[in-house]
């Protein structure tokens, strides 16, 4: 493969209805930052039924070419893949960025296999090296290590990035017009029928809280989450957790903070018994006020906590609840404890 | 109905060990478990088999010890276990892993339905299922939260995305990546577990594949290369305070009051 034939950054612009998703804007900003180093073009590809307003929504970005594939079909990975691969064949971009949403993560691997190229999931940092190659950095193996990954011999270099990882700062629009190509996406040959479609009622998720309480592996039993949930309620916030408790089935996936869960930045985050894996911290490091309680004074979470407290959550949480409920201290019980 | 399920052996704890030089996962000496998300895929396969009839074959790729995943699958009710094991397969990325799975699945004929878990607990990328479907040139549906058999090799499935639910009528062949809570996973049967100990396992090395070019598998067949691994940069923001419960509680509440009283963010950074 002649690698020099491939240049520029193509961003997959995910549209839900008429709306460009936030992660798509974040990726366009990131693409703008990347091409600053070499002046390569930025391309965008979108697939959907509602082109109205798309160019306006993308107007603030320095996009050279937008390919819009029109289809009335709802998202199907194998159908949308055809549009994106066709666009890649026309533009031959060196880099393809896809948002790590449910749809993006279904689409990206099909595109990668179509070009027999590399796919790096859930990147937290993207840089170009001295040879112009994309250095894709992500936490590896859920542990406390970062890995920088290259796609050396194949193109395009495809990366997915979770929502909320990169800032969506709008790039200063330079001169130059965005050219728009509209194509009709052929109907799917696959015998599938959409029977029903419904919007999921958007309850304010853990990413929309002022105060979050996060439970970690230090919580010993599922029942103990009740007191943490009560505490979160008393503080006017919500309970979230690290991945360990979701894997145990104690907490729901949508309650998981972290790269493989939800990225959060509440005004205040209180963690109890969270050790602080890289993948957890990638999902909360922009929180301005982190209060961490852990029994292990060496816990990694203390390295990024603003208020690191080495204490037993089983002593701290009941006491917090007691004070917040205005219950007077039970002098007797404390004496018993002290014995 | 011929159903294939992909399952993976993973470290029992999320914090896997890694070879500092190669960036590859060291598996030996670690406690292992079946990836919990894959049990949902197996449960789905067994339920479909119970309704529509057919067979359930479980494929796992890994070191020889990954056989325990297949023994476990037998205890749940799988009909056939296939161990994909060869030194040539080690160090594979998404591209090479999915290609190996495709080659392995093809040795056993064609399947109507292929089921995968949503993700693994170690790699965590949730992308092998889509890559496998593309190699097989079949459609795939992720985040599947419900499946029912509606006819001769037809299904009604529900996909639950971030903001939408989609209900589809689909036909085979296809691949489904199911959500973890699609069904409660049954208890493994002691009787099946005992019988499963003696049951045959189909072992597949590269010599059984249609494509025997070692350059297409494992580290050599991977399009991505780990260039560098490093500990994440961290700055210690405050020194750790050791406290008794009541003192800690009061300190925390005062801190929260102070944060809520401050208009600008970042007061404590």
């Amino acid at each position: 493969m002649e690698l020099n034939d491939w240049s520029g950054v193509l961003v997959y612009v995910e549209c839900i209805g008429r709306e460009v998703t936030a992660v798509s804007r974040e990726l366009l900003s990131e693409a703008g930052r990347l091409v600053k180093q070499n002046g390569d073009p930025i391309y965008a590809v979108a697939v959907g039924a509602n082109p109205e307003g798309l160019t306006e929504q993308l107007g603030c970005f320095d996009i050279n070419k937008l390919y819009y594939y029109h289809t009335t079909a709802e998202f199907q990975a194998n159908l949308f893949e055809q549009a994106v691969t066709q666009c890649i064949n026309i533009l031959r971009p060196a880099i393809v960025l896809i948002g790590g949403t449910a749809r993006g993560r279904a689409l990206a691997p099909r595109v990668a296999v179509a070009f027999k190229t590399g796919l790096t999931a859930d990147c937290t940092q993207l840089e170009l090296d001295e040879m112009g190659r994309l250095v894709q950095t992500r936490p590896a193996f859920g542990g406390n290590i970062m890995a920088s990954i290259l796609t050396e011999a194949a193109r395009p270099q495809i990366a997915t990035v979770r929502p909320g990882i990169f800032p969506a700062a709008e790039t200063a629009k330079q001169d130059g017009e965005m050219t728009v190509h509209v194509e009709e996406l052929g109907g799917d040959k696959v015998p599938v029928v959409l029977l029903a479609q419904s919007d999921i009622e958007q309850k304010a998720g853990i990413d929309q809280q002022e105060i979050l309480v996060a439970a970690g592996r230090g919580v010993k039993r599922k029942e103990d989450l009740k007191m943490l949930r009560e505490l979160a309620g008393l503080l006017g916030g919500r309970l979230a957790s690290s991945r360990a408790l979701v894997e145990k089935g104690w907490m729901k996936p949508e309650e998981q903070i972290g790269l493989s869960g939800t990225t959060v930045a509440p005004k205040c985050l209180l963690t109890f018994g969270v050790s602080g894996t890289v993948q957890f911290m990638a999902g909360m490091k922009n929180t301005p006020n982190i209060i961490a309680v852990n029994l292990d004074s060496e816990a990694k979470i203390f390295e990024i906590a603003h208020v690191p407290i080495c204490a037993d959550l089983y002593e701290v949480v009941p006491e917090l609840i007691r004070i917040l409920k205005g219950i007077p201290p039970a002098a007797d019980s404390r004496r018993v404890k002290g014995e | 109905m011929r159903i294939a399920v992909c399952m993976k052996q993973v470290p029992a704890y999320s914090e896997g060990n890694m070879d500092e030089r190669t960036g590859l996962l060291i598996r030996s000496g670690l406690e292992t478990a079946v990836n919990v998300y894959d049990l949902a895929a197996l449960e789905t396969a067994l339920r479909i088999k119970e309704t529509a009839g057919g067979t359930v074959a479980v494929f796992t790729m890994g070191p020889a010890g990954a056989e325990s995943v297949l023994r476990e699958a037998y205890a749940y009710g799988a009909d056939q276990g296939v161990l994909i094991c060869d030194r040539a397969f080690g160090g594979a990325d998404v591209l090479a892993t999915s290609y190996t799975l495709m080659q392995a699945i093809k040795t056993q004929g064609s399947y109507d339905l292929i089921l995968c878990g949503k993700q693994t607990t170690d790699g965590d990328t949730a992308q092998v299922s889509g890559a496998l479907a593309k190699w097989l040139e079949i459609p795939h549906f992720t985040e599947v939260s419900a499946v029912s058999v509606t006819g001769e090799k037809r299904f009604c499935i529900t996909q639950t995305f971030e903001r939408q639910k989609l209900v589809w009528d689909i036909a085979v062949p296809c691949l489904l990546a199911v959500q973890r809570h699609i069904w409660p996973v049954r208890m493994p049967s002691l009787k099946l577990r005992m019988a499963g100990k003696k049951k045959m396992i189909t072992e597949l090395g590269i010599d059984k594949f249609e494509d025997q070019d070692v350059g297409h598998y494992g580290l050599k067949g991977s399009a991505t290369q780990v260039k560098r691994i490093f500990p994440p940069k961290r700055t210690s923001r405050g020194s750790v305070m050791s406290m008794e419960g009541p003192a800690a509680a009061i300190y925390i509440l005062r801190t929260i009051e102070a944060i809520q009283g401050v208009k600008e963010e970042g007061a404590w950074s």
Side-chain angles (χ1 to χ4, degrees):
Chain A
M1 168 163 302
E2 188 48 68
L3 299 186
N4 292 334
D5 292 350
W6 299 75
S7 69
V9 181
L10 173 66
V11 174
Y12 172 68
V13 173
E14 184 183 57
C15 305
I16 308 289
R18 281 161 205 257
E19 200 184 321
V20 170
T21 56
V23 69
S24 307
R25 289 196 296 275
E26 291 158 17
L27 292 179
L28 285 165
S29 295
E30 180 65 11
R33 199 185 61 81
L34 284 172
V35 300
K36 256 187 201 152
Q37 297 175 50
N38 58 15
D40 277 356
I42 298 173
Y43 308 122
V45 57
V47 188
N50 296 303
E52 306 91 27
L54 183 61
T55 50
E56 286 72 28
Q57 288 183 70
L58 300 178
C60 53
F61 298 101
D62 258 324
I63 299 168
N64 293 60
K65 288 178 186 168
L66 165 68
Y67 274 77
Y68 177 78
Y69 288 84
H70 179 262
T71 176
T72 53
E74 260 306 316
F75 176 82
Q76 292 160 64
N78 55 306
L79 180 66
F80 280 37
E81 165 216 329
Q82 292 169 23
V84 177
T85 50
Q86 195 189 103
C87 182
I88 291 171
N89 276 321
I90 297 167
L91 296 169
R92 299 174 81 76
I95 295 167
V96 177
L97 303 180
I98 298 176
T101 58
R103 291 170 178 82
R105 277 179 288 146
L107 174 69
R110 296 191 76 106
V111 176
V113 169
F115 290 91
K116 297 187 174 50
T117 189
L119 169 62
T120 307
D122 300 343
C123 296
T124 54
Q125 200 188 332
L126 298 171
E127 295 295 335
L128 298 179
D129 70 4
E130 67 284 356
M131 294 165 71
R133 300 177 301 187
L134 185 67
V135 182
Q136 307 157 105
T137 300
R138 72 182 301 260
F141 308 118
N144 290 303
I145 202 87
M146 305 294 288
S148 288
I149 296 163
L150 291 179
T151 300
E152 282 185 299
R155 289 292 178 272
Q157 307 157 91
I158 306 182
T160 64
V161 178
R162 291 274 187 158
I165 295 295
F166 292 135
E170 291 172 5
T171 50
K173 178 104 175 94
Q174 308 288 317
D175 292 333
E177 282 294 295
M178 171 168 79
T179 59
V180 183
H181 302 259
V182 180
E183 310 260 344
E184 201 61 33
L185 182 59
D188 52 321
K189 289 162 245 154
V190 191
V192 299
V193 185
L194 183 66
L195 299 175
Q197 178 181 355
S198 57
D199 289 343
I200 296 168
E201 197 191 327
Q202 294 293 302
K203 280 182 275 177
I206 59 167
D207 56 342
Q208 286 166 36
Q209 302 294 321
E210 290 250 306
I211 291 194
L212 267 185
V213 174
R217 207 195 291 276
V219 175
K220 295 184 189 108
R221 291 167 308 176
K222 190 179 178 185
E223 304 88 82
D224 301 339
L225 290 171
K226 274 189 202 148
M227 66 173 181
L228 284 160
R229 219 176 270 284
E230 184 181 8
L231 172 63
L234 288 168
L235 290 169
R238 284 269 298 273
L239 182 65
S241 85
S242 68
R243 184 168 67 181
L245 301 191
V246 176
E247 279 176 14
K248 283 184 177 175
W250 294 1
M251 294 286 287
K252 293 181 192 143
E254 60 267 27
E255 295 172 321
Q256 183 195 331
I257 295 172
L259 193 58
S260 57
T262 301
T263 303
V264 300
K267 198 163 181 186
C268 179
L269 173 68
L270 271 128
T271 73
F272 291 99
V274 172
S275 62
T277 60
V278 179
Q279 84 88 26
F280 178 85
M281 300 213 272
M284 46 67 87
K285 64 177 187 321
N286 295 327
T287 303
N289 300 288
I290 302 164
I291 302 171
V293 176
N294 200 303
L295 252 185
D296 174 10
S297 62
E298 300 294 311
K300 297 275 185 207
I301 190 82
F302 288 153
E303 293 172 23
I304 80 162
H306 306 89
V307 182
I309 299 175
C310 178
D312 185 350
L313 77 93
Y314 285 92
E315 289 179 13
V316 180
V317 175
E319 186 67 10
L320 280 168
I321 292 172
R322 184 190 68 71
I323 297 170
L324 287 165
K325 281 184 157 174
I327 300 169
D332 299 23
S333 70
R334 215 185 278 176
R335 210 178 305 139
V336 173
K337 253 192 177 173
E339 278 170 7
Chain B
M1 181 94 60
R2 294 193 81 220
I3 307 168
V5 184
C6 298
M7 298 180 72
K8 190 182 181 192
Q9 186 181 55
V10 294
Y13 303 102
S14 302
E15 290 85 4
N17 288 341
M18 192 161 38
D19 185 318
E20 298 262 335
R21 196 174 45 80
T22 61
L24 300 176
L25 195 61
I26 304 169
R27 293 176 185 283
S28 51
L30 277 176
E31 250 187 274
T32 59
V34 176
N35 176 39
V36 292
Y37 294 91
D38 297 342
L39 290 176
L42 179 59
E43 179 67 36
T44 305
L46 294 171
R47 294 216 179 207
I48 291 170
K49 178 191 157 180
E50 283 155 13
T51 314
T55 55
V56 173
V58 173
F59 289 78
T60 194
M61 174 175 156
E67 183 189 316
S68 62
V69 171
L70 302 174
R71 299 287 170 206
E72 193 70 20
Y74 283 151
Y76 285 94
D79 298 296
Q80 187 196 1
V82 182
L83 179 64
I84 309 160
C85 179
D86 198 305
R87 293 184 73 89
F89 302 154
D93 68 354
V94 170
L95 187 74
T97 300
S98 56
Y99 186 70
T100 312
L101 287 171
M102 178 271 279
Q103 284 286 328
I105 286 169
K106 281 197 160 175
T107 64
Q108 304 300 304
S110 64
Y111 287 91
D112 299 302
L113 193 60
I114 295 172
L115 290 162
C116 295
K118 175 186 163 140
Q119 65 187 71
T120 61
T121 56
D122 58 347
D124 213 24
T125 65
Q127 308 208 305
V128 169
S129 64
L132 173 59
K134 175 63 184 168
W135 282 118
L136 291 164
E137 286 295 354
I138 58 174
H140 86 288
F141 295 85
T142 59
E143 306 285 351
V144 173
S145 55
V147 181
S148 57
V149 180
T150 51
E152 177 71 15
K153 302 197 172 181
R154 282 200 88 86
F155 299 91
C156 177
I157 63 156
T158 304
Q159 279 182 298
T160 304
F161 287 148
E162 289 97 345
R163 288 154 65 179
Q164 263 183 333
K165 268 188 193 206
L166 300 176
V167 183
W168 300 93
D169 175 43
I170 60 165
V172 299
C174 75
L175 183 150
L176 306 178
V178 301
Q179 290 188 342
R180 180 166 168 199
H181 298 291
I182 181 166
W183 270 306
V185 174
R186 68 193 59 196
M187 293 296 289
S189 137
L190 185 62
K191 197 173 138 206
L192 288 173
R193 186 183 294 283
M194 299 312 288
K197 282 185 178 165
K198 292 179 211 127
K199 214 163 164 171
M200 200 194 79
I201 287 200
T202 310
E203 290 183 33
L204 295 177
I206 193 168
D207 57 313
K208 305 279 198 325
F209 286 0
E210 187 188 348
D211 176 9
Q212 299 188 6
D213 184 341
V214 289
H216 294 159
Y217 300 94
L219 204 51
K220 285 182 195 163
S222 295
T224 57
Q225 289 81 29
V226 176
K227 276 294 138 190
R228 190 168 79 93
I229 56 170
F230 56 98
K233 247 187 241 160
R234 293 223 181 92
T235 47
S236 198
R237 280 171 171 169
S239 50
V240 179
M241 298 168 278
S242 287
M243 287 185 193
E244 294 291 319
I250 289 165
Y251 193 87
I252 289 168
L253 289 176
R254 292 228 169 106
T255 305
I256 294 173
E257 275 168 23
I259 294 165
Q260 289 181 327
V262 173
K263 288 282 184 294
E264 306 88 352
E265 287 194 330
W268 296 80
S269 43

